[in-house]
C-alpha cells in the first residue's frame, strides 16, 4: 500500500515537472539576478556596487551569485572551482538548503563563509536565494525527487527542442535559434515618432528624440533659443531654427572658437589713413602730420594755410607750402629767426663801388657816393664837409660851407610825414637864410615847411 502511494506521488510529481517545462519565460530571473538582453541570459547583480553602505560595523562586502556577503575585513576568501557539490534532497525543503549552506563551502566559484542565512548552494555554482526562488521557474523536481536549480548564466538553459514555445517580453521576439531578440522598431517602421523627431532603438523599446537644437514641449519639438541662455556669444547672438551663430560688432571678428570676438587692427589689415593710423578697441583713428588737418571724411589730410590764419607770422611776406609755411623778405633783406627781416649791409659784404667812391648802406640796398663831394671852389676839410675859403673872391657870394648827409628813407612810411629838420646858424647877425631842395625832387615827392621856431623841416608827401 505504501509502495503504491509512493509511486502515485512520484508519477504526479513527474507530470507536474513536465507541465512546468512546457512554457519557460527566460526574461524572468530570480532574486539577485537581472536579465541581460545582449547575452540573452540572466546575470548576477553586484549588490556591493549598487547598494550604498551594504555592510555595517566595519564589515566588507563580497559579491556572490544571487546575493552578497558581509565578512570581516580580515576574513580569507578561498576560491574552489573544481570541487563538486553534493545535491540536497528536496524533502529537506528550503530550510535544509539554508542550513547546508551555513555549514559547507560553495561549489564552483564559491566562497567559504559561515552565518549565511536563507541561501543554498546548488550544483553548477547557483544559489537558491529564497523560497520564491525554489518554487519559481528556475527550479524543477528531478527524477529522484531532488531540488535542482538551473544556473541563469548557463547557456544550457535554452531548450534545444525547437518545439518549445518561448514567451518573450514586450519589445522582444523569438528568433530561429529560440532566443528572445530585441525588435528594432526604428528599422521596422513600427514606431510612432513624428517627422521632426528621431527614433532611437532601445533594448525592448524605443524612444523619440528631437533633433539637435530642439526640445520637447508636449508631443512637439520646438526650437531652443540659445540666445536666451547666456553666455553663448561674446557680443551678438543670432538664433536660427535648430541652431545659432555668433556675430561681432564692427571692428571685431570671430575667433577660431566661433564665440569670442577679437579686435581687428585696421592699421595693419587695411590702413585707410592718408598719414598716421592709430588702432583702438573696435575701431581706429587717423591723424595728420604737422601742418595738415583731417578732412571731412576723417581719413585724408589737407594742408593748413598758415598764412591765412594769421597776418603776424612773418614780418614781410608769408608763403604757404605743403605742411608748412615760410617767410620772405624784400630784396636787400635777409630772414632772421625764420620770421624777421634784417637789412643786408652790402657795404660790409660785397658792393660795386670804385676806389674813389664810398659805399653808403641804406635799408634794402646801398649807394656809391664820391669820396670827395666838394666842387670847386670848395675844399674838403672833414668827412662830408666842404668849405669855401674866405680868401677867394668867389666865395663871397657862396655858402661858406656845405655838409653832405646821407640817410635812408623807408618806402613803406605813411605820408605825409616829416623826415628831418635843419636850422641855420646864428653866427652872423642880420643874415638871411634860404632853404630849398636843390635836386632829387623831380617827381615832387618832397616838400619844405617852416615851423614856428624858424626851423626848416623837410617832409615827404604822397604825390
Amino acid at each position: 500500500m505504501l509502495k503504491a502511494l509512493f509511486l502515485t506521488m512520484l508519477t504526479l510529481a513527474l507530470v507536474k515537472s513536465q507541465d512546468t517545462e512546457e512554457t519557460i519565460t527566460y526574461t524572468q530571473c530570480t532574486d539577485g539576478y537581472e536579465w541581460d538582453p545582449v547575452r540573452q541570459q540572466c546575470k548576477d547583480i553586484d549588490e556591493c556596487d549598487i547598494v550604498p553602505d551594504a555592510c555595517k560595523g566595519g564589515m566588507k562586502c563580497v559579491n556572490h551569485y544571487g546575493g552578497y556577503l558581509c565578512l570581516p575585513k580580515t576574513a580569507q576568501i578561498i576560491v574552489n572551482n573544481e570541487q563538486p557539490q553534493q545535491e540536497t534532497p528536496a524533502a529537506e525543503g528550503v530550510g535544509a538548503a539554508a542550513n547546508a549552506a551555513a555549514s559547507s563551502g560553495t561549489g564552483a566559484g564559491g566562497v567559504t563563509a559561515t552565518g549565511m542565512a536563507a541561501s543554498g548552494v546548488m550544483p553548477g555554482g547557483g544559489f537558491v536565494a529564497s523560497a520564491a526562488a525554489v518554487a519559481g521557474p528556475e527550479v524543477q523536481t528531478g527524477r529522484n525527487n531532488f531540488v535542482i536549480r538551473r544556473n541563469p548564466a548557463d547557456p544550457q538553459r535554452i531548450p534545444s527542442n525547437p518545439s518549445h514555445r518561448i514567451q518573450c517580453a514586450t519589445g522582444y521576439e523569438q528568433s530561429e535559434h529560440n532566443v528572445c531578440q530585441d525588435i528594432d522598431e526604428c528599422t521596422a517602421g513600427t514606431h510612432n515618432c513624428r517627422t521632426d523627431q528621431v527614433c532611437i532603438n532601445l533594448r525592448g523599446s524605443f524612444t523619440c528624440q528631437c533633433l539637435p537644437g530642439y526640445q520637447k514641449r508636449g508631443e512637439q519639438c520646438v526650437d531652443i533659443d540659445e540666445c536666451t541662455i547666456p553666455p553663448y556669444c561674446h557680443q551678438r547672438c543670432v538664433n536660427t531654427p535648430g541652431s545659432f551663430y555668433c556675430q561681432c560688432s564692427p571692428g571685431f571678428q570671430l575667433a577660431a572658437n566661433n564665440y569670442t570676438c577679437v579686435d581687428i587692427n585696421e592699421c595693419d589689415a587695411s590702413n585707410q589713413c592718408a598719414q598716421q593710423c592709430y588702432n583702438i578697441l573696435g575701431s581706429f583713428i587717423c591723424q595728420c602730420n604737422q601742418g595738415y588737418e583731417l578732412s571731412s571724411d576723417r581719413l585724408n589730410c589737407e594742408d593748413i594755410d598758415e598764412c591765412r590764419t594769421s597776418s603776424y607770422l612773418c614780418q614781410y611776406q608769408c608763403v604757404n607750402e605743403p605742411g608748412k609755411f615760410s617767410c620772405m623778405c624784400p630784396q636787400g633783406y635777409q630772414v632772421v629767426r625764420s620770421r624777421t627781416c634784417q637789412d643786408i649791409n652790402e657795404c660790409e659784404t660785397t658792393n660795386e663801388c670804385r676806389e674813389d667812391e664810398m659805399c653808403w648802406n641804406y635799408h634794402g640796398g646801398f649807394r656809391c657816393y664820391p669820396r670827395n663831394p666838394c666842387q670847386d671852389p670848395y675844399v674838403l676839410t672833414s668827412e662830408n664837409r666842404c668849405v669855401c675859403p674866405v680868401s677867394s673872391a668867389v666865395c663871397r657870394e657862396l655858402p661858406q660851407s656845405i655838409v653832405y648827409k646821407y640817410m635812408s628813407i623807408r618806402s613803406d612810411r605813411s605820408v605825409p610825414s616829416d623826415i628831418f629838420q635843419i636850422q641855420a646858424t646864428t653866427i652872423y647877425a642880420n643874415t638871411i637864410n634860404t632853404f630849398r631842395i636843390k635836386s632829387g625832387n623831380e617827381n615832387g615827392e618832397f616838400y619844405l615847411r617852416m615851423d614856428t621856431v624858424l626851423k626848416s623841416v623837410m617832409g615827404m608827401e604822397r604825390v
Side-chain angles (χ1 to χ4, degrees), residues 290-305:
Q290 185 176 2
Y292 294 87
E293 61 183 356
L294 278 176
S295 60
S296 58
D297 61 5
R298 313 304 296 174
L299 298 175
N300 295 306
C301 294
E302 297 177 350
D303 175 58
I304 299 175
D305 189 352

Side-chain angles (χ1 to χ4, degrees), residues 65 78-84 106-110:
Y65 297 110
I78 301 174
V79 179
N80 184 4
N81 294 325
E82 296 180 356
Q83 181 179 356
T106 63

